[in-house]
Amino acid sequence: MKLRDQDTRHQMRAAFDFLEQLSIDQLNVHRDEHHPDTEKQNPIEAFEISSVLDNVAAIFEIQAREKAIEFVYVRSTERVETDPVLLLRVVSNLVANAVNHAQRGEIHLSTSKHATGIEVEVSDTGIGMDPQDLDRVLCRHEKGAQSEGSGLGLSLVQELSRDMGYQFNIQSQLGKGTRCTLLIPHLDP
């Protein structure tokens, strides 16, 4: 292995660890009733969704490539109104799960426009989960049979999505892969 590859892996792992810690910290802030300034720390902004998704793609594309997994990112210039930091955390967590659990094939990150909002989709052709695991992995500190994670990932995604008014959906088939969608609603004018 080349030194440059080791440095890249180290940087990617450090970035992922940082994002995971930020997510955990953010969840704690949201759950702490003694911090009324939470909304001020996480302002709603209008921005092109690509400003967040470009960063997610840059973080995880190299890691996917190292595992010989094709990373397909379909860039979008659609605008959303949400907290960009929380959106980054949620989507990063979904993509990290896909990279960590895919053994082969592809990971897709894309968006689509709907009447009620913008949908972000993260799908993979990884190991997938059986229906019993799907319900369980959405609970804190629970993880799928094949996971080496902390069991916070998908429960964090679900909780932050609910807090931000996103509609989170996950579908999976054992041996075929997983598809996660996040609908970011349009704000009323």
Side-chain angles (χ1 to χ4, degrees):
M1 179 185 328
K2 296 178 185 174
L3 180 60
R4 186 170 184 217
D5 291 338
Q6 288 176 332
D7 289 344
T8 301
R9 284 190 185 130
H10 177 71
Q11 289 172 342
M12 295 305 295
R13 177 53 54 199
F16 178 71
D17 289 345
F18 175 74
L19 286 171
E20 184 175 33
Q21 187 58 50
L22 282 176
S23 296
I24 291 167
D25 291 346
Q26 186 61 40
L27 183 60
N28 290 336
V29 167
H30 274 278
R31 298 293 173 234
D32 190 346
E33 298 172 2
H34 301 292
H35 289 288
D37 296 335
T38 299
E39 192 170 326
K40 292 178 187 171
Q41 294 172 351
N42 300 309
I44 302 298
E45 299 178 30
F47 56 93
E48 278 190 15
I49 198 162
S50 62
S51 64
V52 168
L53 299 186
D54 288 356
N55 288 302
V56 173
I59 290 168
F60 294 102
E61 185 174 20
I62 294 169
Q63 194 176 3
R65 196 174 332 131
E66 287 177 348
K67 292 179 72 175
I69 298 167
E70 183 178 356
F71 189 92
V72 179
Y73 168 48
V74 180
R75 193 170 193 276
S76 171
T77 57
E78 294 293 338
R79 295 184 64 77
V80 293
E81 294 180 79
T82 190
D83 178 341
V85 174
L86 287 180
L87 180 62
L88 176 73
R89 291 174 183 159
V90 169
V91 176
S92 292
N93 204 310
L94 293 174
V95 175
N97 280 344
V99 170
N100 288 335
H101 295 101
Q103 307 284 325
R104 65 192 185 309
E106 300 177 346
I107 295 170
H108 290 259
L109 172 61
S110 61
T111 62
S112 56
K113 188 174 184 175
H114 295 264
T116 57
I118 304 299
E119 184 177 77
V120 177
E121 179 178 332
V122 177
S123 60
D124 66 66
T125 56
I127 59 176
M129 292 178 273
D130 65 36
Q132 293 170 341
D133 275 348
L134 264 183
D135 291 336
R136 199 175 78 245
V137 298
L138 294 175
C139 298
R140 274 181 155 209
H141 303 292
E142 294 290 335
K143 55 187 179 179
Q146 309 267 342
S147 178
E148 296 177 9
S150 64
L152 287 174
L154 290 174
S155 66
L156 178 69
V157 167
Q158 181 174 271
E159 290 180 36
L160 289 175
S161 295
R162 184 176 42 244
D163 290 350
M164 294 302 297
Y166 304 161
Q167 291 177 14
F168 172 62
N169 185 36
I170 182 170
Q171 301 167 328
S172 191
Q173 199 171 18
L174 192 60
K176 302 241 183 210
T178 302
R179 178 180 180 263
C180 297
T181 59
L182 191 67
L183 183 66
I184 303 164
H186 296 300
L187 292 182
D188 295 329

